[in-house]
Amino acid sequence: MSRVRDLQFLTGPDSGTIALGAAWLAPNPRNYGRGVHPDMVGFWIDVHPVDATERAATRAVLRAHALPQLHEWITQAIAADETWQLTDHQHYWRLTDGHLTHRDEA
């Protein structure tokens, strides 16, 4: 958790099939010489809103499957080579009809 810069429980309408999102914000310069502030570098995690009727089932799937996968993704990212760590990444967990999938999307 020391490298997690932000953990948010998003509110508002649901996010479609996205249940959990994680991002790695790299220390790369984005705006012609302006780098990312060191306090911003790290992992950002968003728990997406879910329809109230699906909340209990979604919570169970997240605890059983998505959280261990998130832990593994963060562990691999910490051990990743410099090329990986100098690039922003996003990883989403999608839940569709009780089936959880996940993948890097950036």
Side-chain angles (χ1 to χ4, degrees):
M1 286 299 292
S2 66
R3 295 186 188 215
V4 174
R5 297 297 174 232
D6 192 41
L7 170 62
Q8 289 190 25
F9 290 85
L10 304 178
T11 59
D14 71 37
S15 301
T17 60
I18 299 173
L20 180 67
W24 166 255
L25 182 62
N28 58 348
R30 294 184 176 179
N31 297 326
Y32 302 101
R34 293 185 183 151
V36 174
H37 191 279
D39 289 346
M40 300 295 289
V41 174
F43 298 98
W44 298 69
I45 301 170
D46 293 329
V47 180
H48 288 253
V50 177
D51 187 78
T53 60
E54 300 174 12
R55 208 165 283 148
T58 300
R59 185 180 303 118
V61 171
L62 289 177
R63 283 185 178 154
H65 301 288
L67 292 181
Q69 292 167 351
L70 172 62
H71 180 267
E72 180 65 23
W73 186 76
I74 289 175
T75 301
Q76 289 177 356
I78 290 169
D81 63 20
E82 185 178 22
T83 301
W84 193 96
Q85 291 190 4
L86 290 176
T87 307
D88 291 341
H89 296 274
Q90 292 181 328
H91 199 91
Y92 290 106
W93 284 260
R94 297 177 184 276
L95 188 60
T96 307
D97 298 325
H99 182 70
L100 185 70
T101 59
H102 65 101
R103 68 181 181 137
D104 278 339
E105 297 197 16

